[in-house]
Amino acid sequence: MKAIVLQGSFGLSSLAAVDLADPTPSASQVVLRMVAASLNYRDLMMVRGQYNPRQPLPLVPLSDGVGEVVEVGPNVTTLKKGDRVCPIFASSWLSGELSAAALKTTLGGPLPGVLSELFLVNEASVVKAPAHLTDEEAATLPCAAVTAYNALFCAGRVSPGETVLVQGTGGVSMFALQFAKMAGARVIVTSSSDAKLERAKALGAWETINYKTTPDWDKRALTLTGGVGVDHVVEVGGAGTLTRSLRATRVAGTVSVIGVLAGSAQELNVLPVLMRNLRLQGVMVGSKAMFEAMNRAIEANALRPVLDEKTFGMDEAKDALSYMEAGGHFGKIVIRL
Amino acid sequence: MKAIVLQGSFGLSSLAAVDLADPTPSASQVVLRMVAASLNYRDLMMVRGQYNPRQPLPLVPLSDGVGEVVEVGPNVTTLKKGDRVCPIFASSWLSGELSAAALKTTLGGPLPGVLSELFLVNEASVVKAPAHLTDEEAATLPCAAVTAYNALFCAGRVSPGETVLVQGTGGVSMFALQFAKMAGARVIVTSSSDAKLERAKALGAWETINYKTTPDWDKRALTLTGGVGVDHVVEVGGAGTLTRSLRATRVAGTVSVIGVLAGSAQELNVLPVLMRNLRLQGVMVGSKAMFEAMNRAIEANALRPVLDEKTFGMDEAKDALSYMEAGGHFGKIVIRL
Amino acid sequence: MKAIVLQGSFGLSSLAAVDLADPTPSASQVVLRMVAASLNYRDLMMVRGQYNPRQPLPLVPLSDGVGEVVEVGPNVTTLKKGDRVCPIFASSWLSGELSAAALKTTLGGPLPGVLSELFLVNEASVVKAPAHLTDEEAATLPCAAVTAYNALFCAGRVSPGETVLVQGTGGVSMFALQFAKMAGARVIVTSSSDAKLERAKALGAWETINYKTTPDWDKRALTLTGGVGVDHVVEVGGAGTLTRSLRATRVAGTVSVIGVLAGSAQELNVLPVLMRNLRLQGVMVGSKAMFEAMNRAIEANALRPVLDEKTFGMDEAKDALSYMEAGGHFGKIVIRL
Amino acid sequence: MKAIVLQGSFGLSSLAAVDLADPTPSASQVVLRMVAASLNYRDLMMVRGQYNPRQPLPLVPLSDGVGEVVEVGPNVTTLKKGDRVCPIFASSWLSGELSAAALKTTLGGPLPGVLSELFLVNEASVVKAPAHLTDEEAATLPCAAVTAYNALFCAGRVSPGETVLVQGTGGVSMFALQFAKMAGARVIVTSSSDAKLERAKALGAWETINYKTTPDWDKRALTLTGGVGVDHVVEVGGAGTLTRSLRATRVAGTVSVIGVLAGSAQELNVLPVLMRNLRLQGVMVGSKAMFEAMNRAIEANALRPVLDEKTFGMDEAKDALSYMEAGGHFGKIVIRL
């Protein structure tokens, strides 16, 4: 089978198509023929060597995709040939809280990713894709969508009528916009692009803020909420946003810390956290149980992920990552396999 | 001021218009000029002497209404003349859990109800009515709507994509339908009337079951959910529904016990409760904090309560209660004051 | 290997020692040499055919025990020979909520139980026994202790200073007493035997009630709590206790429904459930994650399970069950293997 | 009546005994004769002008104390002369979540504090003192004890068997030690003084770390927990502790941010928060409902607050604050009134 492999050293130019041996399923495993994969910013950082500089190479990158079961191991009971499934982000995080052990089983590093024709996986570590979604759409769910779902409904508990602020129009933020709206909340979206904000509005944003023309976006968020502050911020972490996020949040509100963009350190003003009973909640994707609950919600509400207008082929993986790097996209970038 | 008073003995025929002294607000009180009130089944039972046979008379009935602040006490800080507010159901239940003390402060028995031209109330015991609602609509919120909100989002925690079954098309059930749908859930409605089920469908019901033509409605609910069962039942309690409700609920699901219709005792099959980890949760309206959270949700989603086509005048209170007794209504019955 | 098997028909007299083939572990399985097992009332009902009359025979009974790993399958990573472990009650309930699927994987029916010299189990379906416990003590944990832990700290959330009422002095109740006390709660124990109540007192009970001499034990519980009611009842369900349990519980309190003693139906007075915001919560043992959390608590507090003075040998399984049937025991009945 | 008042300018030297008019209770108010007060670090910062430089003067300082009801307003129903009560920290925070409004009603700034012979307060804004406590002990509860209780059992949910790390031996930390132990948790205490650590050990600490001799106390905490990390850190915030607190915490654990010592800004390493699903939770004292729940726990467990060996008189308020400033104390510093 063919796979795209990062080898030799980190960097986009180290990606190459390689021929690997076809996998054979053991007792409780299945083999998927991958049909589509999608990009997360984490994948770009991983390839560049920024996410985990000690990641051993070679590595098949990308955590998110969808495939068809083409072979089942002898003890498999929950899947059959032809099932369309998405591998979960952290193979061993089935339900309950995140554990240190589960953190070592994430796809696209340290475990092999999905950018290959065939993918070997435990039957327990996949979920069925919602039937109404295209392959491209289903491929976007495992990381970005589950992260947004977890932030809003598991780690956080957004109630109808609450106000959620999402930063930018990246994958997690657009899922958060759709999910929060689906749950009866109002959503404020920030971006530096009026064109992107217009598209966010079309997706259901209640209000939008261009943080280039309104650098004090936290004050604007306070004004929009009658001086109270928003209930929940989905913080994806460009430089220096955390302080403003805390200011934009109401007393006893929550800031979900999600982004890996921000680099390692930010200044945290501890006093408002304390004095206003704020909660900062790290959100690292989510469990299989959350993925399944999310899929029920996506199906019940006939939700469709937002895809970028451009799609790439397997041999264009490098181009796809460069396209993400350039930052002009809106919605998820998909690679067809 | 004029008030409708239940005096002498229980029964609809004991209701009479009476002239009472105008109230004067003390330190933290306000006087409301009531503009509309709405009926709950509890009011009918109260008047008949079935809700609390030891309720002292005379009593001004009805817990739900909306009024305009016409006079404010010397220490009032949060309200001003002209504010349009709804008194909360249990005057002293402001936030947190229900307490035994709060149970003694419910309107329309034991405390005086709202079926009077003027109503004296502590400033802390009212909430502002959502601006987009008519007076008739706002009058329906304190009891039925808050009960449904509490059952779904406070005592229970309905998530998007979950399935909620509501029994019948009474006030609580129709609010539960609207609220559950607003929060991204799917709703199954049961009724003995196809005409009412059609209207429920128009309000957003996912599926409907006529329990006359399908007496095994619990089995139908299981079928609709792929054999799993619904996540949440809003049990309003006609005779013998509880056993079916438990059967219709998924493992680890919740049955909210709401209705006062059922009479005092039902047979409870304890084993399924135990073996399937079910939760039965009594829901007795809700706190002021819940009312305010609900109003935010109603405003954010531009929700409008469902009113019956018929409205009554203050002197027609008896007719209004008889109309409810007959059971042909759909949506809340309102009395204009 | 030798096993005690229920064969032919239900009933204690159908138990017999049988020689079965030694098990061989596949990929992720281990073989345990069982060293001790303990009895639950469920085992007695199972053998009598009362728990599940459709349970296929033959069946190795008993869900609870402890054993030593004597053989490991090729892919086993978390266990090694010599580890002392307890199989979990429902093999596939690892974490999160109970599911219908997990209910089909309970030991001692429908799956084979632990009353055998060797026991084959998935490595994921065991927990390490607390080091400070004897084998007899460790054998009592999987069902009774986890049930009590789940009721108090997972399905319920007992806080320090709350009052917990436990019915009788059976296995679940004595664990509930010890756990609730460990967590800073006050415990009321009921029993028909003053001698047993004295022993409960020695274990830390705050107050005791002899329900033979004080049949209105619910009123006594109200008196003991200043008229407020207890926060939590661990309801193990003899005939007609449920109504009193509801009366003994404070507004917004919880009754955990645990027992299988009660037979199938009880009268439930729905009105107090509703009017006092009570919660009835079915509790069906618990997950592996709960078992592990419980073990941490047992270790941190150096807790020791309460054992009956009598212990039985493998060939005395019938006698052990008869001894439980007679009801004179106090604490867990253990069979040494 | 006599009161100690901060007037003219900030600073310990601006404290003076002043004669003020005796208060008269209005409708729902009571007058307390204060018998004891206790110091929090917040009081010291307030007097120095560091807590809120815009606090208007004159100000009666100190939030914590206990007094006897000596006069009741006309509508008071829940208190009578002779009751021994503690005013709550934020007069209008009765239950539920903290609100911006409640933050403006804290005693000892912005509202008048308790360092006066008589204290006027709404009947709703006090709680009865636990009967088994001396006045000195009861005076320590409103701020430090409620903060610790809220952090462990309301904002956080410490379970039996979990490990809690408390920083230093100040008031909040010693209450957290006692409360966590009462709830079945294990407690690690850090301090720069071996003598203080010995006393913490006597109070029930499981392990202690001298952070002077073991500056890498986070690594020591990891070692003590088998590499896993502690479940909960009570972060009182000396310079640079936050980063170590995050490192010492297990995946999906909680750091309660409590201290006002830290100055306004710290470096926050965002990545571990995100990647390890950590929660930072600001904790600003707590509500009246929390105070009452805490008192039940204190009574049920016969807990006694830890007092410093030194006690001061009303005219020694300055000395008491200087004594706290010097930092040699262990346990709460009390002023007798």
Side-chain angles (χ1 to χ4, degrees), chain A residues 3-18 44 46-49 55-61 115 315 317-319 321-322:
Chain A
I4 305 298
V5 174
L6 180 69
Q7 51 187 10
S9 62
F10 290 109
L12 264 66
S13 56
S14 301
L15 289 168
V18 168
L44 186 57
M46 188 69 80
V47 170
R48 284 178 184 158
Q55 167 67 39
L57 302 183
L59 172 74
V60 179
L115 199 49
D315 294 324
K318 228 175 296 187
D319 302 334
L321 286 161
S322 298

Short mmCIF file of all heavy atoms in Angstrom, two decimals, chain A residues 3-18 44 46-49 55-61 115 315 317-319 321-322:
data_model
loop_
_atom_site.label_atom_id
_atom_site.label_comp_id
_atom_site.label_asym_id
_atom_site.label_seq_id
_atom_site.Cartn_x
_atom_site.Cartn_y
_atom_site.Cartn_z
N ALA A 3 1.71 5.06 1.24
CA ALA A 3 1.48 5.97 2.36
C ALA A 3 2.35 7.21 2.16
O ALA A 3 3.38 7.14 1.49
CB ALA A 3 1.82 5.30 3.69
N ILE A 4 1.90 8.32 2.72
CA ILE A 4 2.76 9.51 2.73
C ILE A 4 3.49 9.49 4.06
O ILE A 4 2.87 9.38 5.13
CB ILE A 4 1.92 10.80 2.59
CG1 ILE A 4 1.05 10.72 1.33
CG2 ILE A 4 2.83 12.02 2.58
CD1 ILE A 4 1.80 10.60 0.02
N VAL A 5 4.84 9.60 3.99
CA VAL A 5 5.64 9.41 5.19
C VAL A 5 6.58 10.60 5.39
O VAL A 5 7.16 11.10 4.42
CB VAL A 5 6.45 8.09 5.09
CG1 VAL A 5 7.40 7.93 6.27
CG2 VAL A 5 5.50 6.90 5.00
N LEU A 6 6.68 11.03 6.65
CA LEU A 6 7.66 12.06 7.00
C LEU A 6 8.92 11.32 7.43
O LEU A 6 8.90 10.57 8.41
CB LEU A 6 7.12 12.91 8.17
CG LEU A 6 8.02 14.03 8.69
CD1 LEU A 6 8.14 15.15 7.66
CD2 LEU A 6 7.48 14.57 10.01
N GLN A 7 10.02 11.52 6.69
CA GLN A 7 11.21 10.71 7.00
C GLN A 7 12.48 11.53 6.90
O GLN A 7 12.54 12.51 6.20
CB GLN A 7 11.28 9.48 6.08
CG GLN A 7 11.14 9.79 4.62
CD GLN A 7 11.04 8.50 3.78
OE1 GLN A 7 10.90 7.40 4.31
NE2 GLN A 7 11.15 8.62 2.47
N GLY A 8 13.48 11.06 7.63
CA GLY A 8 14.77 11.73 7.59
C GLY A 8 14.83 12.90 8.56
O GLY A 8 15.53 12.86 9.57
N SER A 9 14.04 13.92 8.29
CA SER A 9 14.04 15.09 9.19
C SER A 9 12.68 15.75 9.11
O SER A 9 11.87 15.45 8.24
CB SER A 9 15.13 16.06 8.74
OG SER A 9 14.83 16.50 7.43
N PHE A 10 12.42 16.66 10.04
CA PHE A 10 11.16 17.39 10.03
C PHE A 10 11.13 18.37 8.85
O PHE A 10 12.16 18.72 8.28
CB PHE A 10 10.97 18.13 11.35
CG PHE A 10 10.71 17.20 12.51
CD1 PHE A 10 11.67 17.00 13.50
CD2 PHE A 10 9.50 16.52 12.61
CE1 PHE A 10 11.44 16.15 14.57
CE2 PHE A 10 9.27 15.65 13.68
CZ PHE A 10 10.24 15.48 14.66
N GLY A 11 9.95 18.82 8.49
CA GLY A 11 9.80 19.79 7.42
C GLY A 11 8.94 19.26 6.29
O GLY A 11 8.96 18.06 6.00
N LEU A 12 8.18 20.15 5.68
CA LEU A 12 7.28 19.74 4.60
C LEU A 12 8.01 19.02 3.47
O LEU A 12 7.46 18.10 2.85
CB LEU A 12 6.55 20.96 4.02
CG LEU A 12 5.15 21.21 4.60
CD1 LEU A 12 5.24 21.59 6.07
CD2 LEU A 12 4.42 22.29 3.81
N SER A 13 9.26 19.40 3.23
CA SER A 13 9.98 18.80 2.11
C SER A 13 10.41 17.37 2.41
O SER A 13 10.87 16.66 1.51
CB SER A 13 11.20 19.66 1.77
OG SER A 13 12.00 19.79 2.94
N SER A 14 10.25 16.95 3.66
CA SER A 14 10.61 15.57 4.00
C SER A 14 9.45 14.59 3.83
O SER A 14 9.55 13.42 4.17
CB SER A 14 11.11 15.49 5.45
OG SER A 14 12.23 16.33 5.63
N LEU A 15 8.33 15.07 3.33
CA LEU A 15 7.19 14.18 3.08
C LEU A 15 7.38 13.47 1.74
O LEU A 15 7.69 14.11 0.74
CB LEU A 15 5.89 14.98 3.05
CG LEU A 15 5.40 15.54 4.39
CD1 LEU A 15 4.27 16.54 4.16
CD2 LEU A 15 4.93 14.40 5.29
N ALA A 16 7.13 12.17 1.74
CA ALA A 16 7.29 11.44 0.48
C ALA A 16 6.34 10.26 0.43
O ALA A 16 6.00 9.68 1.46
CB ALA A 16 8.74 10.95 0.36
N ALA A 17 5.94 9.92 -0.78
CA ALA A 17 5.11 8.73 -0.97
C ALA A 17 6.01 7.51 -0.86
O ALA A 17 7.09 7.46 -1.44
CB ALA A 17 4.42 8.77 -2.32
N VAL A 18 5.55 6.52 -0.10
CA VAL A 18 6.37 5.35 0.18
C VAL A 18 5.48 4.12 0.02
O VAL A 18 4.28 4.17 0.28
CB VAL A 18 6.92 5.43 1.62
CG1 VAL A 18 7.55 4.10 2.05
CG2 VAL A 18 7.93 6.56 1.74
N LEU A 44 0.38 20.27 10.90
CA LEU A 44 1.40 21.16 10.34
C LEU A 44 2.55 21.32 11.33
O LEU A 44 3.73 21.22 10.97
CB LEU A 44 0.76 22.52 10.03
CG LEU A 44 1.62 23.56 9.32
CD1 LEU A 44 2.15 23.03 8.00
CD2 LEU A 44 0.80 24.85 9.08
N MET A 46 3.34 19.27 13.71
CA MET A 46 3.99 17.96 13.84
C MET A 46 5.01 17.77 12.72
O MET A 46 6.16 17.39 12.97
CB MET A 46 2.92 16.87 13.78
CG MET A 46 3.42 15.48 14.09
SD MET A 46 3.88 15.26 15.83
CE MET A 46 2.26 15.00 16.56
N VAL A 47 4.62 18.08 11.50
CA VAL A 47 5.52 17.89 10.34
C VAL A 47 6.71 18.83 10.44
O VAL A 47 7.85 18.45 10.14
CB VAL A 47 4.74 18.11 9.02
CG1 VAL A 47 5.69 18.18 7.83
CG2 VAL A 47 3.72 16.98 8.83
N ARG A 48 6.44 20.03 10.93
CA ARG A 48 7.55 21.00 11.10
C ARG A 48 8.46 20.66 12.28
O ARG A 48 9.49 21.30 12.48
CB ARG A 48 6.97 22.38 11.38
CG ARG A 48 6.37 23.14 10.22
CD ARG A 48 5.83 24.42 10.83
NE ARG A 48 5.12 25.27 9.92
CZ ARG A 48 4.24 26.18 10.34
NH1 ARG A 48 3.99 26.32 11.64
NH2 ARG A 48 3.63 26.95 9.46
N GLY A 49 8.06 19.73 13.11
CA GLY A 49 8.87 19.39 14.29
C GLY A 49 8.61 20.32 15.46
O GLY A 49 9.36 20.33 16.45
N GLN A 55 9.55 13.48 18.45
CA GLN A 55 8.78 12.47 17.72
C GLN A 55 9.72 11.67 16.82
O GLN A 55 10.39 12.23 15.95
CB GLN A 55 7.71 13.17 16.88
CG GLN A 55 7.03 12.30 15.84
CD GLN A 55 6.19 11.21 16.46
OE1 GLN A 55 5.53 11.43 17.46
NE2 GLN A 55 6.23 10.00 15.89
N PRO A 56 9.78 10.33 17.00
CA PRO A 56 10.64 9.53 16.12
C PRO A 56 10.10 9.49 14.69
O PRO A 56 8.89 9.49 14.48
CB PRO A 56 10.59 8.12 16.75
CG PRO A 56 9.95 8.28 18.09
CD PRO A 56 9.11 9.52 18.02
N LEU A 57 11.01 9.48 13.74
CA LEU A 57 10.65 9.37 12.32
C LEU A 57 11.12 8.00 11.83
O LEU A 57 12.01 7.41 12.43
CB LEU A 57 11.31 10.49 11.51
CG LEU A 57 10.96 11.92 11.97
CD1 LEU A 57 11.60 12.94 11.05
CD2 LEU A 57 9.45 12.10 12.03
N PRO A 58 10.58 7.43 10.78
CA PRO A 58 9.50 7.98 9.95
C PRO A 58 8.15 7.98 10.66
O PRO A 58 7.93 7.20 11.58
CB PRO A 58 9.47 7.02 8.75
CG PRO A 58 10.01 5.73 9.30
CD PRO A 58 11.02 6.11 10.33
N LEU A 59 7.28 8.86 10.15
CA LEU A 59 5.93 8.97 10.70
C LEU A 59 4.93 9.20 9.57
O LEU A 59 5.14 10.05 8.71
CB LEU A 59 5.86 10.16 11.68
CG LEU A 59 4.46 10.52 12.19
CD1 LEU A 59 3.97 9.50 13.22
CD2 LEU A 59 4.45 11.92 12.81
N VAL A 60 3.86 8.44 9.57
CA VAL A 60 2.73 8.77 8.69
C VAL A 60 1.93 9.86 9.39
O VAL A 60 1.44 9.64 10.50
CB VAL A 60 1.83 7.54 8.44
CG1 VAL A 60 0.65 7.93 7.54
CG2 VAL A 60 2.62 6.40 7.81
N PRO A 61 1.79 11.03 8.81
CA PRO A 61 1.10 12.12 9.51
C PRO A 61 -0.41 12.07 9.37
O PRO A 61 -0.95 11.23 8.66
CB PRO A 61 1.66 13.38 8.85
CG PRO A 61 2.09 12.94 7.48
CD PRO A 61 2.38 11.47 7.53
N LEU A 115 -2.70 9.02 6.74
CA LEU A 115 -2.40 9.40 5.35
C LEU A 115 -1.80 8.21 4.58
O LEU A 115 -0.69 8.28 4.08
CB LEU A 115 -1.45 10.61 5.35
CG LEU A 115 -1.37 11.45 4.07
CD1 LEU A 115 -2.76 11.80 3.55
CD2 LEU A 115 -0.56 12.71 4.33
N ASP A 315 -1.23 12.73 -3.37
CA ASP A 315 0.12 13.15 -3.73
C ASP A 315 0.33 14.65 -3.53
O ASP A 315 1.43 15.15 -3.73
CB ASP A 315 0.41 12.75 -5.18
CG ASP A 315 0.45 11.23 -5.32
OD1 ASP A 315 0.94 10.57 -4.38
OD2 ASP A 315 -0.04 10.72 -6.35
N ALA A 317 -0.25 16.17 -0.63
CA ALA A 317 -0.27 16.42 0.81
C ALA A 317 0.55 17.64 1.19
O ALA A 317 0.14 18.47 2.02
CB ALA A 317 0.24 15.18 1.55
N LYS A 318 1.72 17.75 0.59
CA LYS A 318 2.59 18.89 0.86
C LYS A 318 1.86 20.19 0.52
O LYS A 318 1.90 21.16 1.28
CB LYS A 318 3.85 18.76 -0.03
CG LYS A 318 5.15 18.98 0.72
CD LYS A 318 6.35 18.73 -0.18
CE LYS A 318 6.42 17.26 -0.64
NZ LYS A 318 7.68 16.96 -1.38
N ASP A 319 1.25 20.22 -0.67
CA ASP A 319 0.52 21.42 -1.09
C ASP A 319 -0.60 21.75 -0.11
O ASP A 319 -0.85 22.91 0.20
CB ASP A 319 -0.10 21.20 -2.48
CG ASP A 319 0.96 20.85 -3.52
OD1 ASP A 319 2.13 21.25 -3.33
OD2 ASP A 319 0.61 20.15 -4.49
N LEU A 321 -0.74 21.09 3.08
CA LEU A 321 -0.17 21.67 4.30
C LEU A 321 0.33 23.10 4.06
O LEU A 321 0.18 23.98 4.92
CB LEU A 321 0.96 20.78 4.84
CG LEU A 321 0.46 19.49 5.51
CD1 LEU A 321 1.57 18.44 5.59
CD2 LEU A 321 -0.08 19.78 6.91
N SER A 322 0.90 23.35 2.89
CA SER A 322 1.33 24.71 2.55
C SER A 322 0.14 25.65 2.46
O SER A 322 0.20 26.81 2.88
CB SER A 322 2.05 24.73 1.20
OG SER A 322 3.20 23.94 1.25
#
